[in-house]
Amino acid sequence: SAQQNHPQAGTDATESFDAVVVGAGFAGLYALHKLRDEMGLSARVYEAGGGIGGTWYWNRYPGARSDTSSWIYCYSFDEELLQEWQWSERYPQQQEVLNYLEHVAERFDLNRDIQLQTRVTSAIFDEETERWEVRTDTGDVVSARFVIAALGALSAANLPDVPGLESFAGDRYHTAEWPHEGVDFTGKKVGLIGTGATGIQVATEIAEEAEHLTVFQRTPNYAVPLGNHPLDAELRREYKENYDEIWEQVRHNFSGHDYEPIGKTLQEAAPEERERAFQERYDRGGFGLWLANYDDLLENREANAVVSEWVRERIRERVRDPETAEKLTPSDHAFGTKRVPLENGYYEIFNRDNVGLVDVKKTPIEEITATGVRTQDGEYEFDALVFATGFDAMTGPYNKIDIRGRGGRLLRDKWAEGPRTYLGIMSAGFPNMFAITGPQSPSVLTNMPVAIEQHVEWISGIVRHMLDNGLDVVEPTLDAEDEWVDHSQEVAHATLLPESATWYMGANIPGKPQVFLPYLGGLGPYREKCDEVAKNAYEGFAFA
Ligand code: N01
């Protein structure tokens, strides 16, 4: 574009772009390709990491792999890309997903517009020029008409504020900031804090390697088998031949996966039929038990109690010591109201001599010392401490940036009591700033690449509409936003999910407002809603 490289009068900006994209993960890479290669806009991507890949750049802990089948955990926008890439396993490891993203970046020549090791620190909307001034921690100041926040939903790592944290003399790791050279735990005594999807993956690996592993568990989870297996030529041919059908299903599916629900309520099924349905899903591996089960499991308490107890029984069967089994068995929340972790031999690590389990709800961690962890009932010595303590999810990455919209208002102030968006895509008073899989969109409740493609494509549609019609700025009306915020809460509160203390609710971060963050209406219906809004001349948006 003619604008590129010409400083904007009246600002400190040294360069000017049609769009600045923040983040070079699945979302930012596709946004760049779309805006630059398909729409001819000038764009700069800023990426905090030393490489592209987002989640898959940072989360290099042992055992990190996708919980979604590889052949749909990828982009669908390019037929050749789909046909040429060879996945090796049903669930790809971190390195394989990263290789895939690097392949995509090279294939579409994306790297030349991505500036690595550069964290965006502020984005300020200038009401006079109707442009954003974007600043980075490397001192860059650039001007952009559009800002695309491709920040990731789980990119602000949460290290809990445990007393004495800094005094620990051994090695300390957070799973989301794992050293690139890897860590050798051979002969080491390791303490692991956290048993979410990450903790369960990493524990299973560390148990094999370390001299001793102690798992500090606050809330037991209902983990179910992953069911990983290698992909042979035959399987690959099968999905590649059927890709049209597969994507059609996935795009309109509730969670962007290839699971189909049973299509009736639990009450409508006889006990033997339920048993068969649960067992089949458990044995097949994946999210079937959670996302493709009886219709009422996440809404009806009695129905949920049946599947919750069924999963508890599986845990009790797999763990030899009854006391340990009981500690690992959730009783304080309903199945599926927390993100269901997928596991590959997790419960069996507690049958080993070198693995211990500490219930820190019963005996809380009091402090971290130079040599280890002190709980209410004793001291544990470690050479290394691993924090698998999750993220300040969904809003955290936005709150870390000084985003100022109209009237100099900070986004984080506007969102002080919870995010306020229309469709999860824009927030009133922050014109021309778009979020990809942000709060109040289906996002983390879906297979992310599918939700990301939907967002990038929809956002390019509205940008195209502006370019075609000579419109300078867009933002949602307050009415449309208020309605969406209410609707997204209503949908969530019609289910059992908000009752549990989860990161979906902001419950994992002290002081965070307790608001259900992702949109629970399903990706398929959400896609229809977005398409309908576009068809009705972008109703709910105001252009100028
Ligand atoms: O983080 P989490 P995660 N003291 O917040 C505990 C995605 N993901 O990184 O449950 C003691 O779920 C905390 O305890 P509690 C997926 O969407 C995907 O595991 O809050 N413990 C919990 O056990 C997932 O949901 C994949 O009581 C403390 C753990 O730390 C999301 O990322 C793989 C504590 C944090 O669990 C986040 O998962 C991995 C404290 N002060 C992750 N603070 C795949 O697709 C926290 N905890 C494969």
Side-chain angles (χ1 to χ4, degrees), residues 61 65-67 154 158 160 193-199 201 218-219 338-339 360 388-391 503 508:
Y61 59 87
R65 64 172 77 239
S66 168
D67 274 352
L154 297 161
N158 166 46
I193 301 179
T195 54
T198 302
Q201 286 185 330
R218 190 164 66 182
T219 310
K338 274 174 103 89
R339 203 290 206 161
V360 297
T389 43
F391 304 88
W503 60 259
N508 63 327

Side-chain angles (χ1 to χ4, degrees), residues 391-403:
F391 304 88
D392 182 352
M394 304 210 79
T395 50
Y398 291 84
N399 291 341
K400 279 168 75 171
I401 303 173
D402 287 330
I403 300 172

Side-chain angles (χ1 to χ4, degrees), residues 137-350:
D137 65 352
T138 53
D140 287 31
V141 187
V142 299
S143 160
R145 178 170 172 196
F146 299 105
V147 173
I148 314 288
L151 305 176
L154 297 161
S155 55
N158 166 46
L159 189 64
D161 190 15
V162 188
L165 192 61
E166 297 306 326
S167 66
F168 183 62
D171 299 319
R172 188 181 85 196
Y173 308 98
H174 191 291
T175 47
E177 289 160 0
W178 204 259
H180 288 207
E181 63 279 12
V183 180
D184 185 3
F185 290 114
T186 311
K188 299 268 166 72
K189 288 199 205 64
V190 184
L192 168 69
I193 301 179
T195 54
T198 302
I200 282 172
Q201 286 185 330
V202 78
T204 310
E205 298 293 319
I206 297 176
E208 291 279 340
E209 188 173 283
E211 181 187 313
H212 193 274
L213 170 68
T214 304
V215 177
F216 293 93
Q217 170 194 274
R218 190 164 66 182
T219 310
N221 257 313
Y222 295 92
V224 301
L226 176 71
N228 193 28
H229 55 75
L231 296 180
D232 56 21
E234 177 57 32
L235 274 169
R236 284 204 199 107
R237 193 169 51 243
E238 209 173 288
Y239 69 72
K240 285 186 182 183
E241 274 172 9
N242 292 309
Y243 254 143
D244 286 350
E245 237 169 85
I246 291 173
W247 288 116
E248 183 60 20
Q249 183 203 4
V250 159
R251 289 191 191 117
H252 295 95
N253 181 268
F254 192 85
S255 64
H257 287 97
D258 49 6
Y259 304 111
E260 283 303 335
I262 295 172
K264 55 166 133 172
T265 65
L266 180 117
Q267 315 302 330
E268 291 170 304
E272 317 79 66
E273 187 185 334
R274 296 171 186 171
E275 176 72 25
R276 239 189 350 265
F278 295 163
Q279 191 70 51
E280 239 175 59
R281 282 162 178 72
Y282 195 81
D283 293 344
R284 202 181 306 149
F287 289 129
L289 206 62
W290 184 31
L291 299 175
N293 207 325
Y294 293 108
D295 290 346
D296 51 346
L297 291 188
L298 299 179
E299 285 140 40
N300 179 310
R301 211 173 299 283
E302 290 76 47
N304 184 286
V306 176
V307 70
S308 291
E309 189 50 29
W310 190 88
V311 180
R312 286 188 203 112
E313 274 307 313
R314 303 290 78 70
I315 299 170
R316 292 181 189 121
E317 275 170 8
R318 291 173 57 182
V319 180
R320 255 182 249 131
D321 171 44
E323 212 177 292
T324 308
E326 223 30 60
K327 273 195 225 167
L328 286 165
T329 304
S331 58
D332 68 342
H333 68 281
F335 171 78
T337 58
K338 274 174 103 89
R339 203 290 206 161
V340 172
L342 300 187
E343 53 79 36
N344 179 23
Y346 174 65
Y347 290 110
E348 286 72 18
I349 70 171
F350 296 97

